[in-house]
Amino acid sequence: MLEELKKTLIKSPIIKKGEYNYFVHPVTDGIPEMKSEVLREIVAIIKEKVDLDIDKIVCVEAMGIHLATALSLETDIPFVVIRKREYGLPGEVPVFQKTGYGEANLYINSIKKGEKIILIDDVVSTGGTYIAVIKALQNMGVEIAEAIAIVEKGDGKAIVEEATETSLMTLVKLDVINGKVVIQETIEDI
């Protein structure tokens, strides 16, 4: 079911940022161009595997937006973006995130205590973004029905699950070996 996603991941160019092997892919970077088939596969597997009896889809700017949009269009569930910009709206919750390649503040708006959500983002590698966002949502009293990362690289999933006591669904686990993306496992293998 994830054939297009796997094919495009394997073709991903690799760039080094310090010691970090960074793969460049439409799901995680918006380049090269996104094939609609890839988004359809992602949405189909999420609809098959996740209970979508939720109030909102929540994503993280910027690379979660296209994923949340595609899922929202297929399910008619509204989505909210955790932004990198502060608006100062009532109830806004700041979140500090630190990843393998940077640090930033994020801002949560339009999510209320008691709401049931799914959290979706493009990739988990170091776990920094997921840990910060999940802990902030937990502190807000939000019920996280499912946390989803399309791509898992490195030990990020395990780090997030240990730090937050929240399971993290990933669709594809990969690594960069000898300058190439190698797919180690998919959700279909589980």
Side-chain angles (χ1 to χ4, degrees):
M1 183 182 261
L2 294 172
E3 293 310 309
E4 286 298 318
L5 177 59
K6 291 188 284 189
K7 279 195 290 191
T8 57
L9 281 166
I10 289 168
K11 294 178 185 177
S12 295
I14 307 301
I15 59 171
K16 270 194 110 53
K17 296 216 174 220
E19 292 301 308
Y20 192 82
N21 287 314
Y22 195 91
F23 64 97
V24 181
H25 186 268
V27 168
T28 59
D29 301 285
I31 53 173
E33 70 277 355
M34 173 70 76
K35 292 183 177 181
S36 57
E37 298 86 35
V38 173
L39 282 175
R40 282 192 194 99
E41 285 180 349
I42 290 167
V43 169
I45 201 99
I46 291 170
K47 285 175 63 177
E48 176 187 315
K49 303 278 185 185
V50 174
D51 178 2
L52 293 171
D53 181 22
I54 58 170
D55 299 304
K56 290 179 182 158
I57 300 163
V58 177
C59 68
V60 180
E61 182 182 9
M63 297 317 300
I65 296 173
H66 57 289
L67 302 167
T69 301
L71 188 56
S72 178
L73 287 170
E74 279 293 311
T75 62
D76 291 324
I77 299 168
F79 74 93
V80 173
V81 180
I82 297 175
R83 297 290 314 266
K84 295 177 182 175
R85 176 180 301 145
E86 181 177 11
Y87 291 93
L89 295 170
E92 183 171 77
V93 176
V95 179
F96 176 73
Q97 66 156 350
K98 184 174 182 176
T99 67
Y101 45 87
E103 303 177 350
N105 284 318
L106 299 171
Y107 300 90
I108 300 173
N109 282 289
S110 300
I111 304 172
K112 298 175 188 77
K113 180 179 181 174
E115 286 187 312
K116 187 176 180 182
I117 61 115
I118 61 170
L119 175 63
I120 188 167
D121 204 11
D122 59 332
V123 65
V124 60
S125 55
T126 64
T129 300
Y130 275 97
I131 291 169
V133 169
I134 289 170
K135 285 185 174 185
L137 291 168
Q138 289 170 334
N139 288 338
M140 292 170 64
V142 174
E143 181 183 345
I144 303 170
E146 193 77 56
I148 305 167
I150 307 310
V151 177
E152 171 186 355
K153 180 179 179 279
D155 297 325
K157 176 180 176 175
I159 293 166
V160 169
E161 290 177 337
E162 184 177 326
T164 65
E165 298 180 2
T166 299
S167 68
L168 179 61
M169 174 193 291
T170 59
L171 305 191
V172 177
K173 180 177 174 77
L174 60 78
D175 202 354
V176 176
I177 301 172
N178 297 324
K180 295 185 178 179
V181 169
V182 176
I183 295 178
Q184 298 174 322
E185 181 178 80
T186 72
I187 194 167
E188 302 164 316
D189 301 328
I190 300 169

